[in-house]
Amino acid sequence: MTLVQLEYLIAVDTYRHFATAAENCFVTQPTLSMQLQKLEEELGVQLFDRSRVPVRPTEVGKEIIAQARIVLAESKKIQEIVQNQKQELSGELRIGVIPTLAPYLMPLFITNFLEKYPQVRVVVQELLTNEIVEKLNHEQLDVGLLVTPLEIKTIKELPLFYEAFMVYVNPKHALAKQTEIDPAELLPDDLWVLNEGHCFRSQVLNICNRGGKLGGSEGANLDYRSGSLETLKRIVETQHGLTLLPELSVLEMPEDKKRLVRPFKEPKPLREVSLVVHKSFLKKKLIEALQQEIIASIPATIANRKKQQVIGIS
């Protein structure tokens, strides 16, 4: 049994396709298949049900794959020990970030991070929360930037800061006359929300105490479902009603747009933004450096805010 065979085993489990697994392992499919067959012969068990499409691990295969992930993770720590001894940060850092954070948070820190650590190659993917968690569990990402708490056993959460929700309101709306807004004043027919699957949507519904019943603002003759906060802002400006925005998205707004922003009354509803990693995560020094750079880039009013009324995701 070799570490290479375990890598091939995990790749097939991840992609559920021999050709795709071979491509991602940079070997030919016959080579990968032959090595897995040797592993099965040595263990005396069948690891995959090849009669199904996509291929599925057998019951014993699932247990062996879980152990293989542990073995490979532990073996990679040897490389980390060497790198830490050299006191240098290098290699690849794969980051997953949710769409309601990416355009507002990434520009604050990414340039400084790359300049400070020129030997690090950063790969960023915009993904939904469940996609980030899945990729962390399958070792396809090193770290996620998303909203917590998740309360997932395999995931470790490292809170970064607490960001307030803001109300973005059409200038002709009655609430535009107020300087602060109470969540109880938000009406479902006025509210534009993101598509299902976005954690920001579920938090908005929780703020409004609407559970999962709201499907999107349904104006007189327009029902628009969007995956973009920027699109929702334009709809509010040109149609009617209001939407909720994360605080970071307001920072760089032009002054004419900021006039449409209203804060909530105290206690303000907040979202907890965190780095999340797998519980057996690697690249600790890199992730610590990323954590420090993000915190240093956040405005002091946000970075110094204490945990208060954090809105849940479910």
Side-chain angles (χ1 to χ4, degrees), residues 25-271:
C25 290
F26 305 103
V27 296
T28 64
Q29 182 177 340
T31 297
L32 181 140
S33 297
M34 180 184 66
Q35 288 298 325
L36 285 183
Q37 186 176 350
K38 284 184 177 181
L39 181 60
E40 288 179 323
E41 290 173 356
E42 179 180 345
L43 296 175
V45 296
Q46 184 176 347
L47 298 172
F48 291 100
D49 181 355
R50 294 167 172 79
S51 66
R52 301 177 64 181
V53 179
V55 295
R56 302 281 184 185
T58 60
E59 288 304 311
V60 68
K62 291 177 183 177
E63 294 187 43
I64 292 172
I65 289 165
Q67 187 61 36
R69 291 186 184 278
I70 295 172
V71 170
L72 280 181
E74 291 297 318
S75 71
K76 290 176 182 177
K77 288 180 181 178
I78 296 174
Q79 296 172 341
E80 283 202 12
I81 292 171
V82 174
Q83 191 177 77
N84 290 343
Q85 185 67 28
K86 293 179 179 178
Q87 294 295 310
E88 65 179 27
L89 291 181
S90 61
E92 184 176 79
L93 185 63
R94 301 165 299 174
I95 305 172
V97 56
I98 57 174
T100 58
L101 268 177
Y104 316 118
L105 179 58
M106 295 299 297
L108 296 182
F109 74 87
I110 193 63
T111 300
N112 286 341
F113 183 83
L114 293 173
E115 289 177 353
K116 191 174 291 186
Y117 306 107
Q119 300 302 314
V120 178
R121 179 175 182 265
V122 178
V123 179
V124 182
Q125 297 182 58
E126 278 194 35
L127 301 163
L128 297 180
T129 296
N130 64 326
E131 295 172 324
I132 291 175
V133 170
E134 182 179 0
K135 285 182 177 289
L136 285 172
N137 284 333
H138 286 87
E139 301 173 21
Q140 294 173 290
L141 288 175
D142 300 307
V143 62
L145 265 170
L146 45 74
V147 173
T148 53
L150 299 176
E151 298 179 352
I152 298 174
K153 291 182 179 180
T154 58
I155 297 298
K156 181 176 182 179
E157 301 172 5
L158 307 169
L160 295 168
F161 58 88
Y162 297 92
E163 182 183 21
F165 288 85
M166 313 293 283
V167 182
Y168 195 70
V169 59
N170 183 281
K172 296 180 181 179
H173 195 283
L175 292 181
K177 300 175 182 178
Q178 301 182 192
T179 56
E180 294 183 320
I181 293 176
D182 189 311
E185 297 175 297
L186 302 181
L187 301 176
D189 287 344
D190 289 342
L191 193 61
W192 299 94
V193 296
L194 293 173
N195 291 332
E196 291 185 12
H198 291 269
C199 58
F200 195 83
R201 170 194 167 93
S202 65
Q203 289 181 304
V204 168
L205 299 184
N206 285 337
I207 290 172
C208 303
N209 293 315
R210 305 295 175 187
K213 297 179 181 178
L214 188 63
S217 181
E218 298 182 1
N221 56 2
L222 176 65
D223 182 0
Y224 197 108
R225 316 293 172 107
S226 176
S228 163
L229 289 175
E230 297 304 311
T231 300
L232 296 185
K233 283 165 54 181
R234 291 294 295 145
I235 292 174
V236 167
E237 294 163 9
T238 59
Q239 296 294 319
H240 66 91
L242 51 88
T243 193
L244 267 58
L245 300 174
E247 188 174 5
L248 286 179
S249 72
V250 175
L251 297 181
E252 300 300 324
M253 272 186 183
E255 289 303 316
D256 61 324
K257 304 299 183 185
K258 284 186 178 180
R259 297 192 190 102
L260 305 180
V261 177
R262 300 291 182 274
F264 280 105
K265 293 180 179 179
E266 296 288 351
K268 299 182 187 299
L270 307 175
R271 70 172 184 169

